[in-house]
Amino acid sequence: MLDTQRVTDRRRVFDQLLEVTVLLGRDMTGALARDGLTDSRAHLLWVLDATGPSTQRALADALEVTARTVTALVDGLEASGHVTREPHPTDRRALLVTPTAVGRSTMDRLKAGHVQAADDLLAGLPAADVAALARGLDHVLARLRDLTS
Amino acid sequence: MLDTQRVTDRRRVFDQLLEVTVLLGRDMTGALARDGLTDSRAHLLWVLDATGPSTQRALADALEVTARTVTALVDGLEASGHVTREPHPTDRRALLVTPTAVGRSTMDRLKAGHVQAADDLLAGLPAADVAALARGLDHVLARLRDLTS
DNA sequence: TATTGTTATACTCTATAACTATA
DNA sequence: TATAGTTATAGAGTATAACAATA
């Protein structure tokens, strides 16, 4: 195989990855919007669901944003009824952001949506091809983690 | 192969795609920031590079945003010296957004960066695996285009 | 002194609506 | 009457800096 062909193939995969990024992002954002959530607020809720009630400081670290940004996101999620601010049991400076029943059921729906989306995207692709795709993506992700670390 | 295994594999690929979306987006945004561009402004410049001098109306349609948004983006790109607003030769209502020499050389650098990134991400992956990855991504993209259309 | 979260302020992207100049 | 682009206004996400309460 000619070297120029190899370069072309790589470029093709890169363009495919960029398009996946755009379309998958659009699809996810649309799904969240139907639940009245923006990307950033859903991300916070997602972290909260994984870790349990957390201080805003811990959320800022997990989301890699400033404390100011978390204040704004929690303000929004509190207004929409997804979370509450509870007093911290031992540190009177801190607040524990806690999902409400609405917040928990929203997260359950989002997680079910992920399983559904996984099924939709890969429906009709033979198991061997799914496995090959997973291996290729593993390689790309390893390189990507190197580049962005 | 058990059906539960198949579901697990699909879910794994979906999670990989989500991580690619996050990391690739972060990497791209970082590269653009080094050129003093935001994602949205780079997108406009990208379209402009592909189509040549365009009216703001045409750009709004291509970017799928409102005319007001294009006004703001062009304001920014004009201030940073990447584009100019030129009179339209026949329609005195319209303006032709036109890349400057700086804008063109910035685009050349971005395009070279894409080729470099494609090489970096797929370095060390055998040609047959690159081809398999491309086929898998083709399948996913076809499904994704269906879902988001 | 250091840390948690807030207020103050600012910038970017985005949208809708009203308006001007032109077609 | 319709279209191109701007001004006016608003909301979301993000940041830095100054500040209050608490550790």
Side-chain angles (χ1 to χ4, degrees):
Chain A
M1 188 182 283
L2 291 174
D3 198 54
T4 52
Q5 180 61 45
R6 199 166 280 164
V7 168
T8 303
D9 286 350
R10 287 177 175 173
R11 184 59 205 277
R12 178 184 168 209
V13 168
F14 185 73
D15 286 343
Q16 288 176 309
L17 290 173
L18 284 182
E19 190 177 353
V20 166
T21 293
V22 171
L23 293 184
L24 192 54
R26 187 179 300 175
D27 187 50
M28 293 288 99
T29 300
L32 296 175
R34 283 191 287 280
D35 267 302
L37 289 172
T38 61
D39 287 0
S40 299
R41 291 176 191 178
H43 191 185
L44 191 152
L45 211 52
W46 188 273
V47 168
L48 208 56
D49 183 73
T51 63
S54 310
T55 64
Q56 294 189 186
R57 180 68 258 161
L59 290 170
D61 291 341
L63 299 174
E64 298 182 65
V65 296
T66 62
R68 177 64 186 90
T69 297
V70 171
T71 295
L73 294 176
V74 173
D75 283 350
L77 285 166
E78 204 174 33
S80 60
H82 291 94
V83 306
T84 57
R85 284 175 161 109
E86 305 294 335
H88 191 285
T90 62
D91 187 340
R92 286 195 299 170
R93 294 171 307 179
L95 296 166
L96 279 181
V97 180
T98 308
T100 61
V102 169
R104 285 193 303 274
S105 72
T106 298
M107 274 310 304
D108 289 344
R109 214 167 330 124
L110 291 185
K111 285 188 286 189
H114 268 218
V115 173
Q116 181 63 53
D119 218 59
D120 287 348
L121 289 187
L122 298 165
L125 193 65
D129 293 359
V130 173
L133 180 54
R135 282 194 304 276
L137 288 174
D138 255 347
H139 181 96
V140 168
L141 278 170
R143 306 291 302 166
L144 214 36
R145 290 195 201 97
D146 277 356
L147 290 175
T148 56
S149 64
Chain B
M1 187 181 284
L2 292 173
D3 199 54
T4 52
Q5 179 60 44
R6 199 166 281 164
V7 169
T8 303
D9 285 350
R10 286 177 175 174
R11 183 59 204 275
R12 179 184 167 209
V13 168
F14 185 72
D15 287 342
Q16 287 176 309
L17 291 173
L18 284 182
E19 190 176 354
V20 165
T21 294
V22 171
L23 293 184
L24 192 54
R26 188 179 300 174
D27 187 48
M28 293 289 99
T29 301
L32 296 176
R34 283 190 287 281
D35 267 302
L37 289 172
T38 62
D39 288 359
S40 299
R41 290 177 192 177
H43 190 184
L44 191 152
L45 211 51
W46 189 273
V47 168
L48 209 56
D49 183 73
T51 63
S54 311
T55 63
Q56 295 189 186
R57 180 67 259 161
L59 290 170
D61 291 341
L63 299 174
E64 297 182 66
V65 296
T66 62
R68 176 64 186 90
T69 297
V70 171
T71 295
L73 294 177
V74 173
D75 284 349
L77 285 165
E78 204 174 33
S80 59
H82 291 92
V83 306
T84 57
R85 284 174 162 108
E86 305 294 335
H88 191 285
T90 62
D91 187 340
R92 285 195 300 170
R93 294 170 306 178
L95 296 166
L96 279 182
V97 181
T98 308
T100 61
V102 169
R104 286 194 302 275
S105 72
T106 298
M107 274 309 304
D108 289 344
R109 213 166 332 123
L110 291 184
K111 285 188 285 189
H114 268 219
V115 174
Q116 180 64 54
D119 218 60
D120 287 348
L121 289 187
L122 298 165
L125 193 65
D129 293 359
V130 172
L133 179 54
R135 283 195 302 276
L137 289 174
D138 255 346
H139 181 97
V140 168
L141 278 171
R143 305 291 302 164
L144 215 36
R145 290 195 202 97
D146 277 355
L147 290 175
T148 56
S149 66

